[in-house]
Amino acid sequence: MGSHATPTAAYWSFFENFNRKDADGWAGAMSYPHVRVSAVQPPRRGDGPGPRTASGVYPTASDYAAMAERAGWERFELTGWVRTQGITPRVVHASSDKVHLAGGWTRHRADDSEIVTNRVLYVLSRMEEGWGIQARFGIDGYNKGADRSAQKAAALGALERLMTTLEPGDVDNWLTCFHYPLTLVGAPGEVSVIDDAEAMRAAYGDWAGEALPISYRANDIAAGENGVTLSQSITRGEDTFHQSFLVAQQEGEWKILAVSAIA
């Protein structure tokens, strides 16, 4: 639907409607197709299209609202939840029709004690009707005050490997830098899930196979036990653009799980 006047208005609408337990209003905070990607692999709950790790794509607002109604809020209330408080978001990258916001939330009980907190990279896009959240990259393993220097180093190392294979056009090794299914968020309204390396080769092999000089700078946004979000500004050949990544540890390997690019 994406009907909000600004990216931050859509961000705060997400929490306001969630706290009201308004499934349609919650769905109205999004742009579609909408995707939620998690660094953690939760068990199937039966309230959505499957595990959220990479393929939880909701084509329309009706699909999202139906999921919310089916799942309900009872599972949160059983933990003592009464409200979720979003943190003040920070703009990471921005263009006229797409924004990366570093945000997150804490779930609270009635006595205001904290149940769980998380950090999320929100991808917002401006559609015809206005702004909405196109994608969410969730750490889903965030702990306040925890030393995550090792995870940050591992994630930055995974990004460096991606760059060192891309620069010479080494497609075979470049393909091994991703976890699959891989989620890619492009221009507003463009969300794709790449099932495996061969599908990635078919879609982007020619682009990646062109040897071009690369310069970039990257920073961590937020880090959890098994997931880190990163920001990057990159020049490849004559093209300069910005990217945000969700890097995840799966089966002991840190690789890219989701990417959003802003030209």
Side-chain angles (χ1 to χ4, degrees), residues 190-252:
E190 293 182 0
V191 174
S192 58
V193 178
I194 309 295
D195 289 332
D196 53 38
E198 288 312 304
M200 187 69 168
R201 185 193 299 273
Y204 295 101
D206 290 345
W207 175 83
E210 188 176 3
L212 292 169
I214 287 176
S215 62
Y216 76 95
R217 63 181 185 276
N219 296 286
D220 60 271
I221 300 171
E225 184 176 359
N226 292 293
V228 177
T229 46
L230 301 177
S231 66
Q232 180 196 55
S233 295
I234 176 173
T235 297
R236 180 173 182 250
E238 297 182 355
D239 295 327
T240 297
F241 50 100
H242 305 286
Q243 297 185 108
S244 289
F245 298 86
L246 176 59
V247 187
Q249 179 180 222
Q250 294 182 2
E251 299 179 352

Side-chain angles (χ1 to χ4, degrees), residues 152-168:
K152 293 175 183 179
L156 288 166
L159 179 58
E160 182 179 9
R161 180 168 179 266
L162 180 72
M163 294 297 105
T164 58
T165 57
L166 181 61
E167 186 164 26

Side-chain angles (χ1 to χ4, degrees), residues 172-191:
D172 288 340
N173 283 311
W174 176 75
L175 292 169
T176 69
C177 295
F178 304 101
H179 286 305
Y180 299 97
L182 170 71
T183 300
L184 302 176
V185 185
E190 293 182 0
V191 174

Side-chain angles (χ1 to χ4, degrees), residues 38-40 87 90 92 102-105 117-121 137-157 219-231 245-249 254:
S38 173
V40 179
I87 68 170
R90 174 176 65 86
V92 178
W105 45 261
T117 189
N118 196 19
R119 293 293 179 265
V120 181
L121 189 284
F137 298 169
I139 299 299
D140 297 345
Y142 180 82
N143 298 101
K144 290 181 180 180
D147 180 6
R148 299 300 186 197
S149 55
Q151 286 86 350
K152 293 175 183 179
L156 288 166
N219 296 286
D220 60 271
I221 300 171
E225 184 176 359
N226 292 293
V228 177
T229 46
L230 301 177
S231 66
F245 298 86
L246 176 59
V247 187
Q249 179 180 222
W254 285 88

